[in-house]
């Protein structure tokens, strides 16, 4: 049987190539199957679509978009021809979002140490005056500021905001997340308290000291 | 307003860290200093406190009997062999945690607090119904941990849960500390534990054989006056009573090597 769906790596991400002869439903089903197995490898890549000769109607396009974005939470840019345009639009929109979030998104202030099992999930910025202990979790749409030691799980820019940052006095956690990026940290036990922040630079999470 | 005694829950999250031993010995210590004390075993189905106090064969009625109206609260209380002012309200062994509700537990404890200076509740391990029963009856908390990561993690979780039950700033007891292991860097030190948990330290009990011996005999460690553990419990009792007792460095031996080591390696951190 002919393979109806291909994933192909490109410079800008991963291209999904759909067969253009077979019925759309069949191709779509196959795409579903393949995603079930391999969606994990696609996390963090920009996906685009090559439909060949086929012209997708709006409903079909929405179906695919929904599948990729909603069900699997992947970054889907659009049909190949549109990619260039969409990329530039997207970059712009990230900046817009971050400006908006900086000025409008609500910031919540938590004046205590977050302990194991406690979770803070907020769409704006989160400021914690205290530590984030192992087993505690902070997920913020915007920045996270921890005026203490980060030992638990912290994610900034959870909605995909790559401009988000994590500020703290000490990272003592195995990993941090910003947008869709994950950084594993080496254990640094003797580290002293030092104001620092993590941000995305050149597609990597980088920790910088604040002098 | 009528005077009410203090209601304190002793809890840990993790099992086997020594909650029951701590409860029994703090109870004896407080009774020794003249307070009226009642200890409640909230670990229904897995009762231990009676054994540690050496009162097992005196149990007639228990906590569940009181709740179900089989007996009066007063009838279920067992007086200690040595101290008239120390009582135990034992748990039922044949029932489970669902046999009583947090509300029933709270009303029993409130009733007892009218008569006793201290109502100390021995919480079961875990954070389920039994924990809720024990915690909702208390106004203050003592969290027990050992210097192991798993125990500390659970203690941290429990401190967070205590907040939800309006028990702010519980005290911390670090049990079974082995000073030699700490000095060799093989066990977390008191400072390490405090840095993570960040609550007020009530006391540190060193690991000593005598604790096991006394517990198995149903005797109090306080009888073995010369031991470090007895001293630790006495200090804890004084601190509960509001006295400022400086912490003796039982957890770090004062050898010259350690002095030098601390000079170089303990400077970092807070």
């Amino acid at each position: 049987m002919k393979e109806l769906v291909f994933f192909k790596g490109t410079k800008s991400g991963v291209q999904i190539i759909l067969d253009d002869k077979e019925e759309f439903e069949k191709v779509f089903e196959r795409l579903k199957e393949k995603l079930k197995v391999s969606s994990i490898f696609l996390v963090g890549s920009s996906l685009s679509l090559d439909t060949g000769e086929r012209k997708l109607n709006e409903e079909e396009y929405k179906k695919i978009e929904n599948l990729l974005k909603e069900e699997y939470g992947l970054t889907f840019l659009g049909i190949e021809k549109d990619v260039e345009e969409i990329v530039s639009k997207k970059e712009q929109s990230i900046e817009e979002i971050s400006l908006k979030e900086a000025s409008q998104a609500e910031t919540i202030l938590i004046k205590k140490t977050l302990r194991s099992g406690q979770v803070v999930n907020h769409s704006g910025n989160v400021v914690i005056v205290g530590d984030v202990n192992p087993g505690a979790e902070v997920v913020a749409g915007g920045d996270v500021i921890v005026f203490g030691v980060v030992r638990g799980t912290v994610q900034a820019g959870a909605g995909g905001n790559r401009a988000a940052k994590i500020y703290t006095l000490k990272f003592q956690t195995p990993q941090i997340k910003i947008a869709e990026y994950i950084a594993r940290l080496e254990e640094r036990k003797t580290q002293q308290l030092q104001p620092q922040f993590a941000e995305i630079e050149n597609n990597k999470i980088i920790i910088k000291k604040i002098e | 307003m009528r005077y009410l005694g203090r209601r304190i829950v002793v809890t840990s999250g993790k099992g086997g860290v020594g909650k029951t031993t701590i409860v029994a010995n703090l109870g004896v210590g407080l009774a020794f200093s003249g307070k009226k004390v009642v200890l409640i075993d909230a670990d229904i189905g897995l009762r231990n406190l009676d054994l540690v106090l050496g009162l097992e064969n005196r149990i007639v009625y228990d906590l569940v009997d009181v709740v179900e109206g089989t007996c009066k609260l007063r009838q279920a209380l067992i007086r200690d062999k040595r101290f008239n002012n120390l009582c135990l309200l034992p748990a039922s062994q044949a029932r489970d945690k669902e046999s009583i509700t947090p509300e029933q537990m709270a009303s029993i404890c409130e009733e007892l607090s009218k008569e006793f200076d201290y109502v100390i509740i021995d919480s079961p391990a875990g954070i389920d119904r039994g924990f809720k029963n024990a915690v909702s009856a208390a106004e203050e908390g003592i969290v027990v941990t050992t210097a192991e990561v798993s125990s500390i993690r659970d203690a941290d979780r429990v401190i967070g849960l205590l907040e939800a039950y309006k028990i702010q700033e519980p005290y911390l007891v670090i049990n079974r500390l082995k000073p030699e292991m700490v000095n060799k860097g093989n066990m977390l030190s008191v400072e390490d534990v405090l840095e993570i948990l960040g609550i007020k330290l009530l006391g540190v009990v060193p690991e000593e054989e005598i604790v096991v011996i006394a517990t198995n005999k149903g005797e109090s460690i306080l009888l073995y006056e010369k031991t470090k553990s007895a001293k630790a419990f006495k200090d804890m009792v004084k601190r509960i009573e509001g006295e400022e007792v400086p912490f003796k460095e039982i957890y770090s031996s004062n050898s010259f090597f350690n002095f030098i080591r601390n000079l170089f390696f303990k400077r970092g951190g807070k």
Side-chain angles (χ1 to χ4, degrees):
Chain A
M1 199 187 129
K2 198 180 160 212
E3 181 55 85
L4 302 176
V5 178
F6 285 102
F7 294 136
K8 185 180 146 204
T10 67
K11 237 192 312 182
S12 57
V14 175
Q15 208 171 30
I16 302 173
I17 305 170
L18 302 183
D19 183 272
D20 54 2
K21 302 287 184 300
E22 197 56 71
E23 271 173 62
F24 175 77
E25 280 309 319
K26 277 194 182 158
V27 176
F28 186 67
E29 281 308 312
R30 181 68 192 138
L31 175 62
K32 264 185 168 169
E33 281 169 28
K34 285 200 90 163
L35 280 175
K36 211 176 259 174
V37 186
S38 49
S39 67
I40 189 106
F41 301 111
L42 301 174
V43 173
S45 325
S46 307
L47 303 180
S48 58
L49 204 60
D50 180 357
T51 56
E53 299 286 300
R54 187 200 302 272
K55 278 227 181 327
L56 294 177
N57 63 33
E58 200 174 324
E59 193 189 333
E60 290 167 338
Y61 180 80
K62 277 268 177 279
K63 251 174 126 173
I64 292 177
E65 189 182 28
N66 237 340
L67 178 71
L68 295 172
K69 282 192 173 170
E70 303 301 325
E71 279 187 45
Y72 287 99
L74 300 169
T75 318
F76 177 53
L77 303 180
I79 296 175
E80 194 208 13
K81 285 166 264 175
D82 312 330
V83 168
E84 280 304 307
E85 197 190 339
I86 290 173
V87 166
S88 56
K89 238 193 240 164
K90 195 170 165 140
E91 270 168 9
Q92 199 183 2
S93 68
I94 286 173
E95 252 189 274
E96 265 173 30
I97 291 167
S98 66
L99 279 176
K100 241 194 229 161
E101 295 214 343
S103 57
Q104 287 178 4
E106 236 178 284
T107 297
I108 54 169
L109 173 63
I110 297 164
K111 280 198 204 166
K112 61 168 196 161
T113 290
L114 282 189
R115 298 185 181 276
S116 175
Q118 296 177 327
V119 178
V120 173
N121 204 328
H122 179 61
S123 58
N125 308 311
V126 175
V127 181
I128 293 161
V129 183
D131 300 339
V132 177
N133 274 358
E137 215 179 301
V138 180
V139 180
D143 294 344
V144 178
I145 302 171
V146 179
F147 214 78
V149 184
V150 175
R151 301 189 186 93
T153 315
V154 174
Q155 181 176 16
N161 176 8
R162 294 184 196 180
K165 295 179 176 62
I166 302 172
Y167 302 83
T168 184
L169 298 180
K170 186 168 171 182
F171 283 112
Q172 209 180 71
T173 174
Q175 59 168 252
I176 50 176
K177 298 181 199 162
I178 300 177
E180 70 271 29
Y181 291 86
I182 298 176
R184 263 176 254 290
L185 307 182
E186 306 272 313
E187 198 176 326
R188 292 172 293 180
K189 232 201 150 180
T190 48
Q191 195 196 141
Q192 306 208 352
L193 294 182
Q194 155 76 46
Q196 52 195 301
F197 66 97
E199 66 172 349
I200 296 179
E201 199 178 279
N202 299 326
N203 291 324
K204 262 197 288 191
I205 295 180
I206 303 211
I207 295 177
K208 296 174 180 169
K209 284 180 184 175
I210 303 171
E211 298 294 350
Chain B
M1 204 185 96
R2 252 172 92 187
Y3 171 79
L4 291 180
R6 289 165 70 180
R7 284 171 276 162
I8 307 174
V9 63
V10 177
T11 183
S12 68
K14 193 172 180 335
V17 296
K19 284 181 295 297
T20 302
T21 313
I22 303 272
V23 168
N25 288 289
L26 285 182
V28 170
L30 285 165
F32 187 73
S33 64
K35 300 290 173 195
K36 285 186 80 181
V37 184
V38 60
L39 308 179
I40 303 178
D41 191 348
D43 202 350
I44 301 169
L46 291 167
R47 74 174 176 212
N48 284 156
L49 188 52
D50 51 319
L51 284 172
V52 176
L53 287 164
L55 297 173
E56 188 196 12
N57 47 20
R58 300 192 185 191
I59 296 179
V60 181
Y61 296 112
D62 56 48
L63 186 56
V64 177
D65 290 325
V66 176
V67 168
E68 290 178 348
T70 315
C71 70
K72 294 216 173 72
L73 179 54
R74 202 174 283 272
Q75 287 176 295
L77 295 180
I78 303 166
R79 215 167 280 283
D80 185 69
K81 288 182 254 180
R82 294 153 303 237
F83 297 101
N84 257 333
N85 49 344
L86 176 65
C87 285
L88 166 71
L89 179 55
S92 168
Q93 183 69 332
R95 308 295 286 272
D96 60 29
K97 268 84 180 168
E98 313 290 322
S99 315
I100 65 168
T101 64
E103 293 75 30
Q104 288 167 331
M105 187 74 181
S107 89
I108 287 176
C109 289
E110 206 176 314
E111 197 58 40
L112 289 169
S113 68
K114 288 174 189 162
E115 209 173 313
F116 290 89
D117 300 316
Y118 286 93
V119 179
I120 301 180
I121 305 151
D122 184 13
S123 152
I127 50 174
D128 308 317
R129 177 65 171 272
F131 172 79
K132 280 174 196 147
N133 283 344
V135 167
S136 45
E139 286 174 322
E140 296 173 78
I142 294 176
V143 175
V144 182
T145 184
T146 60
E148 288 163 37
V149 278
S150 54
S151 171
I152 293 167
R153 184 72 57 92
D154 291 357
D156 190 50
R157 174 101 169 94
V158 158
I159 297 166
L161 289 172
L162 287 176
E163 278 170 17
Y165 285 90
K166 306 240 158 18
I167 298 179
Q168 303 290 346
E169 310 207 351
Y171 285 108
L172 182 71
V173 173
I174 302 175
N175 199 11
R176 294 217 192 112
L177 195 85
K178 296 180 184 164
E180 320 79 52
M181 282 185 73
V182 173
N183 287 335
K184 282 183 197 153
N186 293 330
M187 190 182 235
L188 292 175
S189 69
V190 171
E191 289 84 359
D192 294 335
V193 178
L194 287 177
E195 196 188 318
I196 294 175
L197 296 179
I199 56 174
K200 213 172 156 193
L201 185 63
L202 181 66
V204 181
V205 186
E207 170 105 345
E208 279 186 311
E209 277 182 18
I210 192 64
V211 179
V212 182
I213 296 169
T215 305
N216 283 340
K217 282 190 191 164
E219 286 177 344
S220 172
I221 297 154
L222 282 101
L223 297 175
Y224 301 87
E225 280 180 43
K226 297 234 170 83
T227 62
K228 286 179 178 173
S229 312
K231 171 86 173 83
F233 277 106
K234 278 182 198 157
D235 284 352
M236 282 194 267
V237 166
K238 285 183 193 158
R239 290 188 193 108
I240 291 176
E241 295 259 74
E243 215 176 295
E244 288 280 333
V245 186
F247 283 94
K248 270 194 100 184
E249 300 271 314
I250 58 159
Y251 39 84
S252 61
S253 71
N254 37 11
S255 71
F256 183 68
F257 172 75
N258 279 307
F259 174 73
I260 298 294
R261 184 177 170 275
N262 291 347
L263 213 58
F264 286 104
F265 294 103
K266 290 278 170 149
R267 282 289 166 84
K270 280 191 228 179

